[in-house]
Amino acid sequence: MLLPGHASRPPFRVVCAAEKLATRERLPGAHGYDRAAHALRVAGAAGVSAETLLPLVLPTSWMVNAPASSRVFQAWLSPPLVEAWGGLLELMDPGMSAADLAAAGGEEAALVATCVGALAGVPGSSLAAVSKVLALARPRMVPLMDDAAIAFALGTMPRTLEKATATAKPDAFLPMVAWFARTIAAHDLELAALAARHEGASLDAPQVLDRLLWFESFGYADMPGWAWVDHDGVAAVVPSRARPREKGAPLPIDALDPDDRARARVLLDG
């Protein structure tokens, strides 16, 4: 899976995707979040509305480090913001895809942006916090929007490996949805195959892309055995038993030890 580059990042090849999904699955928070997302999907199919489930969805978002306090949740569940959630979830019908949401224009897109802005504008809230709720309630449309993920996908903010940063403005929401839609469309068969082979919680193709976006953008940095490298102008996160220290850019592949370097070259050559 080769992702186009941008001004802040060279083209990027996703390698060892199934192994990365399995590695992430072993994290307790990710494990619970994925099962909760599937349970919500089952509840929605049984006719339970997203608005009814919202009080359960909000604290579940903490399982992937949502940077919102219970006071933010209290504000979100009170007028007028509970109406903003209702309006947003209605605009984002569960039958829609990321491509449908990305294609929304005019008044509909403006309403989505207004609702996201209102919810992210609560003191202590953020775009990342809103996205971690929507990735549970509307997983086919919305990825997690940590600063690092936005930097990786769009290149509109500095790259960071810090999971605690959530400074992106709400106006990044629709561009991130558009990137998500384009990437799903470009790699739909591969993502669907990964979802079918995944032995953990039930995931669909958009959720697989979301989990890989987290891993490739900054999740790997919290785990031993991975390094961000460059080989002939293409970057990747590859297996590495001893990860050299990064300095804001991919490491040259020669920084790896000989065995890891040989494997990384094979992976990056496709």
Side-chain angles (χ1 to χ4, degrees):
M1 190 185 313
L2 184 66
L3 307 179
H6 49 62
S8 303
R9 173 180 57 72
F12 191 95
R13 188 178 297 281
V14 178
V15 301
C16 305
E19 184 180 348
K20 289 169 177 173
L21 291 173
T23 299
R24 177 191 169 279
E25 167 79 16
R26 291 193 288 271
L27 296 173
H31 182 93
Y33 186 87
D34 289 357
R35 279 155 181 75
H38 181 63
L40 290 166
R41 183 160 43 212
V42 171
V48 184
S49 71
E51 291 85 348
T52 299
L53 294 168
L54 187 61
L56 298 175
V57 175
L58 299 187
T60 303
S61 68
W62 278 332
M63 300 187 83
V64 287
N65 300 309
S69 69
S70 55
R71 292 185 184 278
V72 171
F73 296 162
Q74 183 180 37
W76 280 352
L77 292 171
S78 305
L81 293 175
V82 71
E83 285 83 6
W85 272 117
L88 184 59
L89 293 167
E90 183 177 351
L91 287 165
M92 298 169 63
D93 184 272
M96 293 169 59
S97 67
D100 295 327
L101 182 57
E107 184 177 350
E108 186 176 356
L111 284 171
V112 168
T114 297
C115 291
V116 170
L119 294 165
V122 175
S125 181
S126 63
L127 175 60
V130 174
S131 76
K132 293 182 183 193
V133 173
L134 289 173
L136 284 164
R138 296 291 186 263
R140 297 179 65 229
M141 287 177 256
V142 180
L144 302 185
M145 298 185 189
D146 297 284
D147 286 358
I150 294 170
F152 180 93
L154 304 180
T156 54
M157 57 193 313
R159 180 174 182 267
T160 176
L161 295 178
E162 297 297 328
K163 62 185 176 185
T165 61
T167 63
K169 302 301 182 187
D171 60 9
F173 179 77
L174 288 174
M176 276 296 289
V177 169
W179 177 90
F180 198 50
R182 289 194 305 272
T183 309
I184 293 166
H187 303 285
D188 56 345
L189 294 178
E190 187 172 357
L191 292 167
L194 285 163
R197 294 199 307 268
H198 183 55
E199 295 182 354
S202 177
L203 301 176
D204 59 20
Q207 288 174 306
V208 167
L209 177 58
D210 171 62
R211 277 56 171 170
L212 291 173
L213 172 61
W214 172 83
F215 198 104
E216 308 290 14
S217 61
F218 74 114
Y220 76 92
D222 278 344
M223 301 179 195
W226 301 93
W228 187 38
V229 301
D230 177 278
H231 176 50
D232 291 340
V234 177
V237 171
V238 299
S240 174
R241 286 164 294 184
R243 183 171 67 218
R245 184 175 178 81
E246 296 176 15
K247 295 182 179 178
L251 296 161
I253 203 166
D254 289 341
L256 303 181
D257 71 32
D259 289 342
D260 289 339
R261 186 187 316 147
R263 183 183 180 192
R265 282 201 173 107
V266 171
L267 291 168
L268 276 160
D269 286 339

